[in-house]
Amino acid sequence: MTDSQVVSAQGASWRHWLLHPLLLVLWLGSFLLAAALEHAPHASLWFPPAAVTFAGLFCVGWRAVPALFVACVLGTWLTEASNNAGEVRLGVFAVSSLVFALIHTGAYALPAIVLRSIASNAPAELTLRAVSQFLLLGALGALLAAVLGTFGLSHTELLDAPDLFELAATWWIGDYAALVTLAPVLALLLRRVGGESGVRRFPPFEWGPWRFPRVASAKLALLLLTALAILLGYLELSNSRALLVMLVLPVVLQLWIVHTEDLASSQLGMLGFSLLTVGAAAGFDVGDDALVLQFAAISLAANTYLGLAAPALYAANKRLRDQVSHDGLTGALSRGYFEDLAALELAAAARRHQPCAIIMIDVDGLKDLNDTRGHAAGDLALRELVVRSRACLGAGESIARLSGDEFAIFLPGADEAGARDVVRAVKQRLAAGPVPSLDVYVSASFGIATTASEPPNLSALLQAADQAMYADKRTRRRSP
């Protein structure tokens, strides 16, 4: 190992050690913030420690457990002290801290470690599968933490709630609201501190380059100002729940940002909206309306992730369509797709009383080329034929591969003279130079059929063009 490699390894080691105090500080700081945001006994609008635990376990793995355990113990001490006016029952604290640390860390370890193992084989782009895995596994982790934590801590006497089911429900929603909105920024922070080496990446947590053009900044400002206006109106109109329902408008604006701006802008919109709703709740009493704010934050976050996954879904659908509609070797249309397209065009041309033409093409000497130069050479010749033929076609005109060395060109609106012009142009391009890297010229036989001489029926046109093409081939073979 060279000196530079040793220095790099030592630097990475120190950066990894910084992750432990960072996790501890983040967890305790967010725990105190959650305590300040309680809208009911033991129920916070937002519980950021859930996001810290999840992001830490996902990014760092099991190495994050010691720091998280210590944080849970200290959080339990603060809770016990708060519940008893500074008095700490040591027996309750000892049992409760162990129960809480095991339940909280274990509940979020399940989704985080599963996602961590999946992420190593996940594609680089943000896909619908990755988003669904994060949202569903995150909801499962929050549910486990809420249900097990509520019933576990009630038996240790740390929590005293009249309705454990209601407490578990509000606990779950608060954990999940923080997890889906804060996990990306926390994962980004952990990667920046710990370095790229050894800190796991996951597409839903990526931010991309931090560049915000004026248009993106204006859209983000519009999103936040709209949300702020709704929240201020809610406060001025004596906490009208009907006005809170208007928070659907920021959700729509966020989708506009997601589909028109970059990843970082989308993540900032999600984070900004979440912070704004939480800050508003901290500024005035929302009571039961906290559920509406939580639903709005979760809905905006989920729609953001699903919207960000849409381009990958569109790309996958396009690849699938291309596989069905195009020949994989040459890029020409497939036979089935060509026949469907040509049949529709023929019917439309017949209604408009317009002509159509089909040109059949058969490559000369393909078998000899395959036998002497290999099938790779034959494949190059076929691709070159398609490239040069396509260069001679106009809008709406198409070329398809019907079989091994047979191709067809469909010319909507063309008569026989127009078809002959296309054949002449293709021949000139084929004769203009050899196939690159092969030093071999591609030649072909051509046959033309038009609706002026044949019924406007695809099968009849193909058969007529095929016969004309073989007649051309026989004529060229007899020529010296």
Side-chain angles (χ1 to χ4, degrees), residues 1 3 14 37 46-47 53 56 94 110 131 137 142 151 176 184-185 191 200 234 243 248 267 286 335 341 378 404 443:
M1 184 179 291
D3 291 341
W14 276 109
L37 294 174
W46 211 39
F47 194 67
T53 302
L110 173 63
V131 166
L137 287 171
F151 287 94
Y176 192 52
V185 68
R191 285 206 310 272
R200 191 60 53 88
Y234 167 81
L243 193 59
V248 69
Q267 296 282 21
V286 295
R335 179 166 191 153
L341 180 65
S443 63

Side-chain angles (χ1 to χ4, degrees), residues 37 45 227-228 231-232 274-286 293:
L37 294 174
L45 180 72
L228 182 61
L231 292 170
L232 290 175
S274 182
L275 291 173
L276 193 59
T277 53
V278 168
F284 49 89
D285 181 25
V286 295
L293 294 175

Side-chain angles (χ1 to χ4, degrees), residues 346 358 449-450 453-467:
L346 279 172
I358 281 185
T450 68
S453 57
E454 299 293 334
N457 175 276
L458 180 61
S459 179
L461 281 172
L462 286 172
Q463 185 176 2
D466 195 56
Q467 292 173 352

Side-chain angles (χ1 to χ4, degrees), residues 342-434:
L344 290 174
E345 291 286 352
L346 279 172
R351 290 193 297 270
R352 296 192 296 263
H353 304 290
Q354 293 178 340
C356 288
I358 281 185
I359 303 171
M360 291 291 292
I361 306 174
D362 185 83
V363 179
D364 295 334
L366 182 64
K367 183 179 184 305
D368 292 338
L369 182 60
N370 286 333
D371 291 343
T372 57
R373 303 288 294 273
H375 285 275
D379 293 345
L380 284 174
L382 293 177
R383 283 195 287 266
E384 192 67 19
L385 170 72
V386 171
V387 169
R388 299 193 188 190
S389 298
R390 190 178 280 147
C392 303
L393 303 181
E397 300 172 343
S398 55
I399 180 170
R401 187 184 185 190
L402 303 186
S403 62
D405 59 354
E406 282 193 344
F407 295 83
I409 293 176
F410 182 72
L411 305 173
D415 55 13
E416 185 167 352
R420 292 192 180 281
D421 289 340
V422 172
V423 170
R424 188 178 304 109
V426 172
K427 287 182 176 180
Q428 289 175 351
R429 282 194 174 265
L430 293 177

Side-chain angles (χ1 to χ4, degrees), residues 3 10 22 127 145 168 222 259 285:
D3 291 341
Q10 290 175 343
L22 176 62
T127 63
L222 178 61
H259 288 286
D285 181 25

Side-chain angles (χ1 to χ4, degrees), residues 245-332:
V245 177
M246 296 290 290
L247 287 173
V248 69
L249 292 177
V251 175
V252 175
L253 290 173
Q254 172 69 357
L255 286 176
W256 179 38
I257 293 172
V258 167
H259 288 286
T260 57
E261 301 299 333
D262 58 12
L263 186 57
S265 299
S266 302
Q267 296 282 21
L268 269 183
M270 180 174 63
L271 179 63
F273 179 81
S274 182
L275 291 173
L276 193 59
T277 53
V278 168
F284 49 89
D285 181 25
V286 295
D288 292 338
D289 290 345
L291 289 174
V292 180
L293 294 175
Q294 290 171 321
F295 176 79
I298 293 172
S299 176
L300 184 137
N303 279 284
T304 296
Y305 292 123
L306 294 172
L308 290 172
L313 184 61
Y314 298 152
N317 288 338
K318 184 179 183 301
R319 288 194 296 269
L320 183 59
R321 287 195 302 270
D322 288 344
Q323 289 174 3
V324 173
S325 61
H326 289 75
D327 172 55
L329 175 64
T330 64

